[in-house]
Amino acid sequence: MIDVPAELAATQEKYNKEAGRAFIAALPDLTTSFLRRWNLRVTGTPMHGVSALVLPVDRADGTPAVLKLQIRDHESEGEPTALRLWNGDGAVRLLDHDEPTGTMLLERLDASRMLAHLPDVHEGVLVIARLLAHLHTTPAPAGMRRLGDIARSMLERTPAALDRIPDPAARRLVADCAAAVREVADEPGDRLLHWDLHDENVLAADRAPWLAIDPKPLAGDPGFDLWPALANNFDADDIAWRFDAMTDVLALDRARARAWTYGRVLQNCLWEVEEGRPLDEADLEIARRLRGRTA
């Protein structure tokens, strides 16, 4: 019997309410069924993030792998498709997949060597940019959730959200972010994006120095993928360097990349307002610092 980590149960309760409680209740039996179905042997301590339980396992032939069980939602449902298309080029390899539950068997990377442990933050940002350069060469397939739809939804929700932001300066900043998104919304892009490539979602491997894990993929403009590396290890005075470095590596038009980064700030602000939480100061500062750029 697998013990479900209390932290995973708490985050599922917080973010997914009844669906999260149902997922946690079913998780022990679901885990056991896939260990039997794929003939796997648990070889290490269970790990978890916000939404998934990850078990180190060995396959019948002794190949190390990890079993990933997660709630299937609009963000996670495209993960196996993206991993199959990337086929190990810059990302972890998919070994097996169960469509109805979203359960995946993945190659095992070295969880003890995470990019977040790298002392040089600038080198970490460049690693993320180089990985994104590999991932973005792949066009998104039909059926993948699309940035254009997300942008339209954000713009429709913005007026109501602005009415709920009490601080005039913050309200004006969020309105500016929406205006920037409106300028680029008709050309949302078609690349296969990771959406969540921060330094805890990059692990080392024997076959490559660094590989991306845990994508929440969508079809869109590469500029929408920059925000996580701007926000993690947050340093307001480093925002401009990181933005310039990533847009250089990815050969992006800076004005367009800036607009889609405003889009990520807008997305986060809408979530906070709609959940009744205060706006994140780091997000607002990212928007301020980029707004002050002229190139």
Side-chain angles (χ1 to χ4, degrees), residues 34-35 43 59 84 86 91 102 110 117 154 160 163 181 204 210-211 219 222 228 234 237 245 248 258 265 274:
F34 277 100
L35 291 174
T43 57
R59 304 181 85 176
R84 193 173 290 115
W86 286 326
D110 189 346
H117 302 155
M154 290 194 297
D163 288 342
V181 172
W210 300 106
L211 293 169
F234 181 72
D237 292 334
D248 280 347
R258 190 160 46 241
V265 172
E274 290 164 356

PDB file of all heavy atoms in Angstrom, residues 34-35 43 59 84 86 91 102 110 117 154 160 163 181 204 210-211 219 222 228 234 237 245 248 258 265 274:
ATOM      1  N   PHE A  34      -1.396   0.013 -11.461  1.00  0.00           N
ATOM      2  CA  PHE A  34      -0.410   0.258 -12.507  1.00  0.00           C
ATOM      3  C   PHE A  34       0.925  -0.419 -12.203  1.00  0.00           C
ATOM      4  O   PHE A  34       1.636  -0.816 -13.143  1.00  0.00           O
ATOM      5  CB  PHE A  34      -0.222   1.762 -12.731  1.00  0.00           C
ATOM      6  CG  PHE A  34      -1.269   2.329 -13.644  1.00  0.00           C
ATOM      7  CD1 PHE A  34      -2.362   3.009 -13.134  1.00  0.00           C
ATOM      8  CD2 PHE A  34      -1.200   2.123 -15.016  1.00  0.00           C
ATOM      9  CE1 PHE A  34      -3.352   3.499 -13.963  1.00  0.00           C
ATOM     10  CE2 PHE A  34      -2.180   2.609 -15.866  1.00  0.00           C
ATOM     11  CZ  PHE A  34      -3.264   3.300 -15.337  1.00  0.00           C
ATOM     12  N   LEU A  35       1.250  -0.600 -10.946  1.00  0.00           N
ATOM     13  CA  LEU A  35       2.445  -1.389 -10.627  1.00  0.00           C
ATOM     14  C   LEU A  35       2.287  -2.818 -11.152  1.00  0.00           C
ATOM     15  O   LEU A  35       3.238  -3.398 -11.704  1.00  0.00           O
ATOM     16  CB  LEU A  35       2.677  -1.397  -9.119  1.00  0.00           C
ATOM     17  CG  LEU A  35       3.102  -0.064  -8.493  1.00  0.00           C
ATOM     18  CD1 LEU A  35       3.143  -0.182  -6.968  1.00  0.00           C
ATOM     19  CD2 LEU A  35       4.471   0.377  -9.017  1.00  0.00           C
ATOM     20  N   THR A  43      11.260   1.185  -6.047  1.00  0.00           N
ATOM     21  CA  THR A  43      12.658   1.107  -5.624  1.00  0.00           C
ATOM     22  C   THR A  43      13.116   2.333  -4.825  1.00  0.00           C
ATOM     23  O   THR A  43      14.302   2.463  -4.529  1.00  0.00           O
ATOM     24  CB  THR A  43      13.583   0.955  -6.850  1.00  0.00           C
ATOM     25  OG1 THR A  43      13.365   2.044  -7.747  1.00  0.00           O
ATOM     26  CG2 THR A  43      13.319  -0.364  -7.567  1.00  0.00           C
ATOM     27  N   ARG A  59      11.512  -1.460 -14.127  1.00  0.00           N
ATOM     28  CA  ARG A  59      10.706  -2.304 -15.005  1.00  0.00           C
ATOM     29  C   ARG A  59      11.150  -3.755 -14.860  1.00  0.00           C
ATOM     30  O   ARG A  59      12.157  -4.054 -14.192  1.00  0.00           O
ATOM     31  CB  ARG A  59      10.847  -1.839 -16.448  1.00  0.00           C
ATOM     32  CG  ARG A  59      10.495  -0.376 -16.643  1.00  0.00           C
ATOM     33  CD  ARG A  59      10.611   0.064 -18.083  1.00  0.00           C
ATOM     34  NE  ARG A  59       9.410  -0.231 -18.843  1.00  0.00           N
ATOM     35  CZ  ARG A  59       9.214   0.119 -20.100  1.00  0.00           C
ATOM     36  NH1 ARG A  59      10.167   0.781 -20.770  1.00  0.00           N
ATOM     37  NH2 ARG A  59       8.101  -0.173 -20.736  1.00  0.00           N
ATOM     38  N   ARG A  84       5.820  12.821 -26.214  1.00  0.00           N
ATOM     39  CA  ARG A  84       5.992  11.896 -27.346  1.00  0.00           C
ATOM     40  C   ARG A  84       6.558  12.649 -28.561  1.00  0.00           C
ATOM     41  O   ARG A  84       7.438  12.152 -29.264  1.00  0.00           O
ATOM     42  CB  ARG A  84       4.649  11.249 -27.668  1.00  0.00           C
ATOM     43  CG  ARG A  84       4.749  10.043 -28.605  1.00  0.00           C
ATOM     44  CD  ARG A  84       3.411   9.352 -28.745  1.00  0.00           C
ATOM     45  NE  ARG A  84       3.007   8.670 -27.532  1.00  0.00           N
ATOM     46  CZ  ARG A  84       1.954   8.991 -26.789  1.00  0.00           C
ATOM     47  NH1 ARG A  84       1.171   9.991 -27.135  1.00  0.00           N
ATOM     48  NH2 ARG A  84       1.664   8.314 -25.699  1.00  0.00           N
ATOM     49  N   TRP A  86       8.334  15.537 -28.523  1.00  0.00           N
ATOM     50  CA  TRP A  86       9.715  15.961 -28.248  1.00  0.00           C
ATOM     51  C   TRP A  86      10.681  14.779 -28.277  1.00  0.00           C
ATOM     52  O   TRP A  86      11.859  14.946 -28.593  1.00  0.00           O
ATOM     53  CB  TRP A  86       9.778  16.677 -26.904  1.00  0.00           C
ATOM     54  CG  TRP A  86       9.189  18.055 -26.923  1.00  0.00           C
ATOM     55  CD1 TRP A  86       9.214  18.939 -27.973  1.00  0.00           C
ATOM     56  CD2 TRP A  86       8.483  18.716 -25.868  1.00  0.00           C
ATOM     57  NE1 TRP A  86       8.574  20.109 -27.621  1.00  0.00           N
ATOM     58  CE2 TRP A  86       8.117  20.006 -26.339  1.00  0.00           C
ATOM     59  CE3 TRP A  86       8.140  18.358 -24.565  1.00  0.00           C
ATOM     60  CZ2 TRP A  86       7.416  20.915 -25.552  1.00  0.00           C
ATOM     61  CZ3 TRP A  86       7.442  19.259 -23.778  1.00  0.00           C
ATOM     62  CH2 TRP A  86       7.088  20.522 -24.272  1.00  0.00           C
ATOM     63  N   ALA A  91      13.753  17.068 -23.308  1.00  0.00           N
ATOM     64  CA  ALA A  91      12.749  16.713 -22.303  1.00  0.00           C
ATOM     65  C   ALA A  91      12.857  15.237 -21.941  1.00  0.00           C
ATOM     66  O   ALA A  91      13.418  14.427 -22.689  1.00  0.00           O
ATOM     67  CB  ALA A  91      11.342  17.026 -22.821  1.00  0.00           C
ATOM     68  N   GLY A 102      -4.406   9.354 -17.474  1.00  0.00           N
ATOM     69  CA  GLY A 102      -3.271  10.255 -17.587  1.00  0.00           C
ATOM     70  C   GLY A 102      -2.012   9.734 -16.921  1.00  0.00           C
ATOM     71  O   GLY A 102      -0.989  10.439 -16.870  1.00  0.00           O
ATOM     72  N   ASP A 110      17.892  12.201 -12.726  1.00  0.00           N
ATOM     73  CA  ASP A 110      18.558  12.279 -11.426  1.00  0.00           C
ATOM     74  C   ASP A 110      17.909  13.382 -10.600  1.00  0.00           C
ATOM     75  O   ASP A 110      18.255  14.559 -10.728  1.00  0.00           O
ATOM     76  CB  ASP A 110      20.052  12.555 -11.619  1.00  0.00           C
ATOM     77  CG  ASP A 110      20.834  12.439 -10.319  1.00  0.00           C
ATOM     78  OD1 ASP A 110      20.205  12.418  -9.243  1.00  0.00           O
ATOM     79  OD2 ASP A 110      22.079  12.384 -10.375  1.00  0.00           O
ATOM     80  N   HIS A 117      19.547  23.737  -7.861  1.00  0.00           N
ATOM     81  CA  HIS A 117      20.714  23.620  -6.974  1.00  0.00           C
ATOM     82  C   HIS A 117      21.955  24.291  -7.560  1.00  0.00           C
ATOM     83  O   HIS A 117      22.968  24.409  -6.874  1.00  0.00           O
ATOM     84  CB  HIS A 117      21.031  22.144  -6.700  1.00  0.00           C
ATOM     85  CG  HIS A 117      19.879  21.401  -6.088  1.00  0.00           C
ATOM     86  ND1 HIS A 117      19.723  20.024  -6.202  1.00  0.00           N
ATOM     87  CD2 HIS A 117      18.815  21.840  -5.352  1.00  0.00           C
ATOM     88  CE1 HIS A 117      18.629  19.658  -5.572  1.00  0.00           C
ATOM     89  NE2 HIS A 117      18.058  20.728  -5.048  1.00  0.00           N
ATOM     90  N   MET A 154      -8.818  35.661 -21.199  1.00  0.00           N
ATOM     91  CA  MET A 154      -8.256  36.638 -20.267  1.00  0.00           C
ATOM     92  C   MET A 154      -8.808  38.033 -20.538  1.00  0.00           C
ATOM     93  O   MET A 154      -9.163  38.767 -19.605  1.00  0.00           O
ATOM     94  CB  MET A 154      -6.726  36.642 -20.359  1.00  0.00           C
ATOM     95  CG  MET A 154      -6.065  35.390 -19.815  1.00  0.00           C
ATOM     96  SD  MET A 154      -4.274  35.579 -19.558  1.00  0.00           S
ATOM     97  CE  MET A 154      -3.697  35.883 -21.240  1.00  0.00           C
ATOM     98  N   ALA A 160     -13.995  42.834 -15.349  1.00  0.00           N
ATOM     99  CA  ALA A 160     -14.540  42.493 -14.029  1.00  0.00           C
ATOM    100  C   ALA A 160     -13.434  42.426 -12.983  1.00  0.00           C
ATOM    101  O   ALA A 160     -13.627  42.848 -11.825  1.00  0.00           O
ATOM    102  CB  ALA A 160     -15.289  41.166 -14.093  1.00  0.00           C
ATOM    103  N   ASP A 163     -12.256  45.891 -11.725  1.00  0.00           N
ATOM    104  CA  ASP A 163     -13.178  46.489 -10.753  1.00  0.00           C
ATOM    105  C   ASP A 163     -12.908  46.009  -9.334  1.00  0.00           C
ATOM    106  O   ASP A 163     -13.350  46.654  -8.367  1.00  0.00           O
ATOM    107  CB  ASP A 163     -14.628  46.159 -11.130  1.00  0.00           C
ATOM    108  CG  ASP A 163     -15.102  46.923 -12.358  1.00  0.00           C
ATOM    109  OD1 ASP A 163     -14.462  47.940 -12.707  1.00  0.00           O
ATOM    110  OD2 ASP A 163     -16.090  46.489 -12.973  1.00  0.00           O
ATOM    111  N   VAL A 181      -1.540  42.541 -24.428  1.00  0.00           N
ATOM    112  CA  VAL A 181      -2.025  41.257 -24.953  1.00  0.00           C
ATOM    113  C   VAL A 181      -2.983  41.489 -26.119  1.00  0.00           C
ATOM    114  O   VAL A 181      -2.941  40.771 -27.131  1.00  0.00           O
ATOM    115  CB  VAL A 181      -2.700  40.443 -23.836  1.00  0.00           C
ATOM    116  CG1 VAL A 181      -3.387  39.199 -24.413  1.00  0.00           C
ATOM    117  CG2 VAL A 181      -1.683  40.026 -22.789  1.00  0.00           C
ATOM    118  N   ALA A 204      19.053  16.752 -14.211  1.00  0.00           N
ATOM    119  CA  ALA A 204      20.194  16.203 -14.939  1.00  0.00           C
ATOM    120  C   ALA A 204      19.927  14.740 -15.308  1.00  0.00           C
ATOM    121  O   ALA A 204      19.082  14.062 -14.711  1.00  0.00           O
ATOM    122  CB  ALA A 204      21.453  16.299 -14.086  1.00  0.00           C
ATOM    123  N   TRP A 210      21.022  18.431 -19.021  1.00  0.00           N
ATOM    124  CA  TRP A 210      19.771  18.886 -18.410  1.00  0.00           C
ATOM    125  C   TRP A 210      18.596  18.528 -19.313  1.00  0.00           C
ATOM    126  O   TRP A 210      18.701  18.607 -20.533  1.00  0.00           O
ATOM    127  CB  TRP A 210      19.785  20.404 -18.205  1.00  0.00           C
ATOM    128  CG  TRP A 210      20.885  20.908 -17.332  1.00  0.00           C
ATOM    129  CD1 TRP A 210      22.008  21.573 -17.730  1.00  0.00           C
ATOM    130  CD2 TRP A 210      20.983  20.776 -15.908  1.00  0.00           C
ATOM    131  NE1 TRP A 210      22.802  21.871 -16.642  1.00  0.00           N
ATOM    132  CE2 TRP A 210      22.189  21.399 -15.509  1.00  0.00           C
ATOM    133  CE3 TRP A 210      20.160  20.212 -14.926  1.00  0.00           C
ATOM    134  CZ2 TRP A 210      22.598  21.466 -14.185  1.00  0.00           C
ATOM    135  CZ3 TRP A 210      20.556  20.265 -13.597  1.00  0.00           C
ATOM    136  CH2 TRP A 210      21.754  20.896 -13.240  1.00  0.00           C
ATOM    137  N   LEU A 211      17.472  18.157 -18.671  1.00  0.00           N
ATOM    138  CA  LEU A 211      16.259  17.836 -19.409  1.00  0.00           C
ATOM    139  C   LEU A 211      15.047  18.422 -18.682  1.00  0.00           C
ATOM    140  O   LEU A 211      15.012  18.479 -17.446  1.00  0.00           O
ATOM    141  CB  LEU A 211      16.079  16.324 -19.546  1.00  0.00           C
ATOM    142  CG  LEU A 211      17.108  15.598 -20.429  1.00  0.00           C
ATOM    143  CD1 LEU A 211      16.981  14.094 -20.259  1.00  0.00           C
ATOM    144  CD2 LEU A 211      16.941  16.000 -21.887  1.00  0.00           C
ATOM    145  N   ALA A 219      -0.222  25.374 -27.429  1.00  0.00           N
ATOM    146  CA  ALA A 219       0.246  25.910 -28.703  1.00  0.00           C
ATOM    147  C   ALA A 219       0.280  27.419 -28.606  1.00  0.00           C
ATOM    148  O   ALA A 219      -0.727  28.041 -28.252  1.00  0.00           O
ATOM    149  CB  ALA A 219      -0.701  25.489 -29.821  1.00  0.00           C
ATOM    150  N   PRO A 222       6.479  31.660 -28.367  1.00  0.00           N
ATOM    151  CA  PRO A 222       7.541  31.369 -27.402  1.00  0.00           C
ATOM    152  C   PRO A 222       7.681  32.412 -26.303  1.00  0.00           C
ATOM    153  O   PRO A 222       8.154  32.095 -25.202  1.00  0.00           O
ATOM    154  CB  PRO A 222       8.795  31.299 -28.270  1.00  0.00           C
ATOM    155  CG  PRO A 222       8.298  30.843 -29.600  1.00  0.00           C
ATOM    156  CD  PRO A 222       6.964  31.519 -29.765  1.00  0.00           C
ATOM    157  N   PRO A 228       8.399  31.942 -16.166  1.00  0.00           N
ATOM    158  CA  PRO A 228       8.896  31.180 -15.025  1.00  0.00           C
ATOM    159  C   PRO A 228      10.354  31.479 -14.658  1.00  0.00           C
ATOM    160  O   PRO A 228      10.697  31.546 -13.465  1.00  0.00           O
ATOM    161  CB  PRO A 228       8.726  29.714 -15.480  1.00  0.00           C
ATOM    162  CG  PRO A 228       7.594  29.769 -16.445  1.00  0.00           C
ATOM    163  CD  PRO A 228       7.775  31.058 -17.187  1.00  0.00           C
ATOM    164  N   PHE A 234      13.490  35.034  -7.464  1.00  0.00           N
ATOM    165  CA  PHE A 234      13.122  36.389  -7.881  1.00  0.00           C
ATOM    166  C   PHE A 234      14.130  37.429  -7.400  1.00  0.00           C
ATOM    167  O   PHE A 234      14.511  37.474  -6.234  1.00  0.00           O
ATOM    168  CB  PHE A 234      11.735  36.754  -7.369  1.00  0.00           C
ATOM    169  CG  PHE A 234      11.303  38.121  -7.802  1.00  0.00           C
ATOM    170  CD1 PHE A 234      10.955  38.352  -9.115  1.00  0.00           C
ATOM    171  CD2 PHE A 234      11.274  39.175  -6.895  1.00  0.00           C
ATOM    172  CE1 PHE A 234      10.567  39.620  -9.535  1.00  0.00           C
ATOM    173  CE2 PHE A 234      10.889  40.431  -7.306  1.00  0.00           C
ATOM    174  CZ  PHE A 234      10.534  40.657  -8.626  1.00  0.00           C
ATOM    175  N   ASP A 237      16.162  43.373  -9.645  1.00  0.00           N
ATOM    176  CA  ASP A 237      17.236  44.008 -10.406  1.00  0.00           C
ATOM    177  C   ASP A 237      17.807  43.115 -11.499  1.00  0.00           C
ATOM    178  O   ASP A 237      18.616  43.584 -12.306  1.00  0.00           O
ATOM    179  CB  ASP A 237      18.370  44.429  -9.458  1.00  0.00           C
ATOM    180  CG  ASP A 237      17.949  45.555  -8.528  1.00  0.00           C
ATOM    181  OD1 ASP A 237      17.041  46.322  -8.899  1.00  0.00           O
ATOM    182  OD2 ASP A 237      18.513  45.650  -7.412  1.00  0.00           O
ATOM    183  N   ALA A 245      18.670  38.076 -21.960  1.00  0.00           N
ATOM    184  CA  ALA A 245      19.435  36.854 -22.226  1.00  0.00           C
ATOM    185  C   ALA A 245      18.563  35.797 -22.898  1.00  0.00           C
ATOM    186  O   ALA A 245      18.971  35.156 -23.881  1.00  0.00           O
ATOM    187  CB  ALA A 245      20.027  36.311 -20.921  1.00  0.00           C
ATOM    188  N   ASP A 248      17.630  36.751 -26.454  1.00  0.00           N
ATOM    189  CA  ASP A 248      18.793  36.576 -27.324  1.00  0.00           C
ATOM    190  C   ASP A 248      18.960  35.116 -27.724  1.00  0.00           C
ATOM    191  O   ASP A 248      19.124  34.788 -28.906  1.00  0.00           O
ATOM    192  CB  ASP A 248      20.069  37.061 -26.632  1.00  0.00           C
ATOM    193  CG  ASP A 248      20.231  38.572 -26.692  1.00  0.00           C
ATOM    194  OD1 ASP A 248      19.507  39.224 -27.475  1.00  0.00           O
ATOM    195  OD2 ASP A 248      21.081  39.101 -25.950  1.00  0.00           O
ATOM    196  N   ARG A 258       7.837  40.701 -24.896  1.00  0.00           N
ATOM    197  CA  ARG A 258       7.421  41.492 -23.743  1.00  0.00           C
ATOM    198  C   ARG A 258       5.892  41.463 -23.616  1.00  0.00           C
ATOM    199  O   ARG A 258       5.352  41.292 -22.513  1.00  0.00           O
ATOM    200  CB  ARG A 258       7.933  42.919 -23.896  1.00  0.00           C
ATOM    201  CG  ARG A 258       7.772  43.780 -22.666  1.00  0.00           C
ATOM    202  CD  ARG A 258       8.705  44.985 -22.678  1.00  0.00           C
ATOM    203  NE  ARG A 258       8.710  45.678 -23.945  1.00  0.00           N
ATOM    204  CZ  ARG A 258       9.791  45.827 -24.724  1.00  0.00           C
ATOM    205  NH1 ARG A 258      10.957  45.315 -24.361  1.00  0.00           N
ATOM    206  NH2 ARG A 258       9.723  46.495 -25.864  1.00  0.00           N
ATOM    207  N   VAL A 265       1.749  37.641 -16.735  1.00  0.00           N
ATOM    208  CA  VAL A 265       1.435  38.429 -15.544  1.00  0.00           C
ATOM    209  C   VAL A 265      -0.078  38.617 -15.432  1.00  0.00           C
ATOM    210  O   VAL A 265      -0.667  38.452 -14.348  1.00  0.00           O
ATOM    211  CB  VAL A 265       2.156  39.788 -15.584  1.00  0.00           C
ATOM    212  CG1 VAL A 265       1.681  40.690 -14.445  1.00  0.00           C
ATOM    213  CG2 VAL A 265       3.672  39.593 -15.497  1.00  0.00           C
ATOM    214  N   GLU A 274      -9.665  36.431  -8.953  1.00  0.00           N
ATOM    215  CA  GLU A 274     -10.843  35.562  -8.987  1.00  0.00           C
ATOM    216  C   GLU A 274     -10.917  34.628  -7.789  1.00  0.00           C
ATOM    217  O   GLU A 274     -12.003  34.172  -7.411  1.00  0.00           O
ATOM    218  CB  GLU A 274     -10.859  34.787 -10.302  1.00  0.00           C
ATOM    219  CG  GLU A 274     -11.155  35.688 -11.502  1.00  0.00           C
ATOM    220  CD  GLU A 274     -10.823  35.068 -12.842  1.00  0.00           C
ATOM    221  OE1 GLU A 274     -10.275  33.940 -12.880  1.00  0.00           O
ATOM    222  OE2 GLU A 274     -11.092  35.722 -13.869  1.00  0.00           O
TER     223      GLU A 274
END
